[in-house]
């Protein structure tokens, strides 16, 4: 049976697979629907609550024709029913015919509810080389 660390890493992988495939249904299944959820995309304001977070993902997916994301996990921490993953995101995005490459430092927070890990927080900050 997988331990908490492996289950959190699996949830984190589900997040990036949903992101890369622009799969809003999969993203919705992963995110908690609590009002305390936060999502901060690089250079953007904080979004609070699933409705606002969902709308932002829908806009990103609609305006993006291709996404490729590689991640480098820096740390995974689990304490009871809360966990976080800190990582580097290397993102290749094609949007409106423009190729964009970006590197971000990200923190993804998860909470275990009813035996399952749900995303409650995503914060990406640009890495300036």
């Amino acid at each position: 049976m997988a331990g908490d660390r492996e289950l959190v890493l699996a949830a984190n992988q589900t997040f990036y697979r949903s992101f890369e495939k622009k799969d809003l249904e999969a993203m919705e299944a992963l995110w908690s629907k609590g009002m305390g959820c936060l999502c901060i995309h690089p250079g953007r304001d904080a979004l609070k609550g699933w409705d606002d977070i969902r709308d932002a993902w829908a806009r990103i997916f609609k305006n993006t024709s291709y996404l490729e994301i590689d991640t480098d996990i820096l740390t995974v921490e689990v304490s009871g029913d809360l966990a976080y993953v800190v990582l580097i995101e290397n993102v290749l995005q094609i949007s409106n015919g423009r190729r964009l490459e970006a590197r971000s430092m990200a923190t993804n927070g998860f909470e275990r509810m009813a035996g399952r890990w749900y995303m409650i927080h995503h914060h990406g900050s640009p890495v300036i080389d």
Side-chain angles (χ1 to χ4, degrees):
M1 186 170 137
D4 287 338
R5 185 178 192 283
E6 291 76 19
L7 292 170
V8 168
L9 283 170
N12 193 70
Q13 183 179 22
T14 296
F15 170 69
Y16 285 102
R17 188 177 315 113
S18 302
F19 190 173
E20 210 171 41
K21 295 191 179 302
K22 301 182 295 172
D23 186 341
L24 197 54
E25 283 184 24
M27 189 71 78
E28 187 160 9
L30 176 67
W31 274 86
S32 167
K33 305 312 175 286
M35 283 307 298
C37 294
L38 285 172
C39 184
I40 306 168
H41 295 290
R44 305 285 182 208
D45 291 333
L47 302 167
K48 189 170 184 181
W50 172 244
D51 290 341
D52 288 344
I53 294 168
R54 183 189 189 286
D55 290 347
W57 285 117
R59 281 192 306 277
I60 290 168
F61 294 167
K62 179 182 176 192
N63 294 312
T64 302
S65 56
Y66 179 79
L67 274 166
E68 187 176 301
I69 306 165
D70 292 317
T71 60
D72 298 314
I73 306 289
L74 301 177
T75 191
V76 180
E77 298 294 331
V78 179
S79 180
D81 289 332
L82 295 174
Y84 64 86
V85 180
V86 177
L87 58 126
I88 300 286
E89 302 171 334
N90 298 292
V91 180
L92 167 63
Q93 179 180 16
I94 298 177
S95 181
N96 299 321
R98 292 180 34 216
R99 178 187 172 105
L100 307 165
E101 292 186 51
R103 224 172 129 208
S104 298
M105 177 74 66
T107 302
N108 296 324
F110 298 90
E111 183 175 13
R112 182 175 27 214
M113 293 176 270
R116 186 169 163 226
W117 290 99
Y118 289 91
M119 181 166 261
I120 57 170
H121 179 88
H122 170 71
H123 182 180
S125 296
V127 174
I128 308 300
D129 291 325

